[in-house]
Structure formats: C-alpha cells, structure tokens
Amino acid sequence: AANAQFAPAYLGRARARLGQSSGSWPTAREDLVRAITIDENLAQAHLELAALDIRRGEPELALESLDQAAEQAHASPLLYLNYAKAYLVLGENEKAVENARQANQLDETMLETYRVLGEAYLVNGNKYQALIALRIFTVYESEDEQAWAWLGASYADYGDMDAALGSFDRAFEIDKNSFAAYYQRGQVYFTQEAYEPALKDFISALNTDSSSYEANMAAGKTLMALEEAGRASIYFDRAKGAARNDLQKADLYFWRAQAMEAIGEPAQAAHDWHTLLDLPAGAAPEEWLAMAAARIKSLATPTPTIATQTPKDTLMPTLTALRLTFLPLIVT
C-alpha cells in the first residue's frame, strides 16, 4: 500500500501464499511475475518462480527463470538445486547430477541437496553414491516416504535385499498407499524376474496415480514378459497421453509396436514403428531404429515374419525419476 512499485513486497506475499496451499499458486505466481517486472535483477524472485514452476510441472519455464537468476545468484545452492530438479523432470539426468553436486558442495548443511542428489544418482545408475546420499537424508528426515522408497531401490541395486525391503516397509509405515514404494518395489521384483508380484505392485501404484507414465509403462512391460500382449497394450495406450518427452515417446512406441504385432494388429504396429523412426535424432537407441526398419519391411510383405522377442534384459523398465510434486520440506 505504501509503494506499489516495491518488488520485495510482492516476493514476500508470494512466499506467504505458497505457504498456504496449492490453490494459492496462481496468485503467488502473479506476485512473483510482478516482482520481476518491477526489478528484473531480484534473483530471489526468479528462484522462487523457478521452484514454483517445477512444482507445477513446467520445467522449461523454470529453466528460463534460473538462467535469468544465474548471474546474480551464481553462489546460491538454491540455483543449482532447482536446476537439478528441472533437469530430473526433463530426463536430463547427467545435468541433474552435476547441478545437485554443485548445490551440495556450496552448502553441505542443506538437507534437500542430499535428497535431490540421491534421486539424481539413482536414475543415473550410480548405486553407491545414491545410497550414501539417501542414507544421510533419511537419518534427518525420517518421514519422507518417497526418499525411503528411493533408498530401498538403492539398496536393491547394491544387492542388499533385506535392507531394501526394510526401506520399503518404512515407506509403507508412513503412507500405506505410497506410490513411490509400490513403484520402486515393483522394479526390484522385475529385475528378479518375479513378474507376478512386480505386476501387483505396479497396479497398486496405478491405483494411487492412474496417470503415471512410468507405472503404466512398467505394467505393460511386465505383461509383455508374462506374454500377455493384449493386456500390455492397454497400459501402453494409457501411457501415451502421459509421455512428456521424446525419450519417453520412443520407449512407448517401441513397446507398443511389439504388443500390436503380438495381438495381430500389423497396421497399428507399422504405424508405431514409423512413428518411432520419425522422432528426433537421439530419442531412440540405434538398435531400436534398426529393429523398426526391419519390422516395417517385414510387415509390408504378404506373409510377414513373426517379430523376434526382445531379450529380457531390455524388458526391464528404466528406473526413472518419479514425477511427483516437489513439496517444500522444512527442510524440503
């Protein structure tokens, strides 16, 4: 009221609104945009806007805000922490690790850096580093069910199944319907070729979040391993609307094409193989593209050959970061 052009007041009001509920996000975002309009060098407003856009599922917008804050906030761990979160959502996992490390090096007392670092290491396949970071985080933040689920996956990757199952049990103690715990435990069962319990966990995860790309794809791939292509195609269809980037689209079309062939739908299979080939360069591995070209040629013949079953190790769903909303931890 005293000064309508005082940018920190809009930043402060936005923070207060963000502390209320997700229903206040639109007005909070308006305040942050207003603060930046008044003072484009107010780095804290850019950082808050980036964090909010990540929670809203808009990582590209978050990166724009972070780039604008970079010069003024180059020494802030929050800059690199939010870069890491945005890159995780986008599937750029190596960049996520790099930025999470930078955030942790700038402030080793910031607890959330261990959480994000653990997630980033996990999706990059760095088993031991993920285990260390997540153990540190869960010692001090024992009520974060998602972190316990990630820790369980880390223990499983490292070969300690007792500790893995104990971590999943802890996640279920916090939330008996934990999406993260069901999904990650399902991944563990899958790697052990225990497909029935894996499928049960993936379906339980979908009962919590039916729109999850990761869980739908995992259920579909598990059903392919069980030679139930008809049921698998249902989950691949559900995953299609949730695919967020070209890497996920490539994974989807590669698997759905195989399912379509298996259930006697050559026209749809050919369409999916063509769509896979039409994706931007780098979206799919070269061996997938070679297989797509071979299958298109085979399906075009009067008596197409039967698709060769992909080796089981490629059936394993990629352990990707869970796309759950980042809620502020106190510490996050």
Side-chain angles (χ1 to χ4, degrees), residues 177-179 182 199-212 215-216 235 238:
N177 296 315
S178 170
F179 174 93
Y182 277 124
L199 181 61
K200 182 178 179 181
D201 272 354
F202 292 139
I203 290 175
S204 294
L206 287 167
N207 287 336
T208 300
D209 181 4
S210 62
S211 66
S212 166
N216 275 300
Y235 290 98
R238 292 175 181 172

Side-chain angles (χ1 to χ4, degrees), residues 10-11 14-15 18 25-37 39-40 42-69 78 82-83 85-86:
Y10 294 100
L11 170 62
R15 285 173 166 166
L18 290 171
W25 287 359
T27 51
R29 196 177 192 284
E30 289 175 5
D31 275 346
L32 291 171
V33 171
R34 180 69 182 276
I36 292 166
T37 301
D39 183 359
E40 63 180 13
L42 187 58
Q44 292 179 340
H46 288 291
L47 293 176
E48 289 284 1
L49 183 58
L52 176 56
D53 283 337
I54 292 168
R55 293 161 67 186
R56 292 174 56 246
E58 298 285 353
E60 294 89 352
L61 290 177
L63 290 177
E64 292 177 10
S65 295
L66 293 170
D67 288 345
Q68 292 180 55
L78 288 174
N82 283 305
Y83 266 128
K85 288 181 179 181

Side-chain angles (χ1 to χ4, degrees), residues 139-151:
V139 164
Y140 296 99
E141 179 51 71
S142 61
E143 298 300 313
D144 187 324
E145 49 88 17
Q146 188 171 17
W148 281 106
W150 288 333
L151 182 59

Side-chain angles (χ1 to χ4, degrees), residues 272-329:
D272 284 349
W273 288 125
H274 276 293
T275 305
L276 176 62
L277 289 174
D278 290 339
L279 290 173
E286 289 299 324
E287 55 267 30
W288 288 14
L289 300 178
M291 182 175 176
R295 295 311 306 151
I296 290 169
K297 182 177 180 181
S298 175
L299 291 168
T301 64
T303 54
T305 59
I306 298 173
T308 303
Q309 176 62 53
T310 304
K312 281 189 176 181
D313 60 349
T314 63
L315 281 166
M316 185 173 68
T318 303
L319 189 60
T320 54
L322 299 177
R323 312 304 183 197
L324 303 183
T325 303
F326 285 99
L327 299 176
L329 297 169

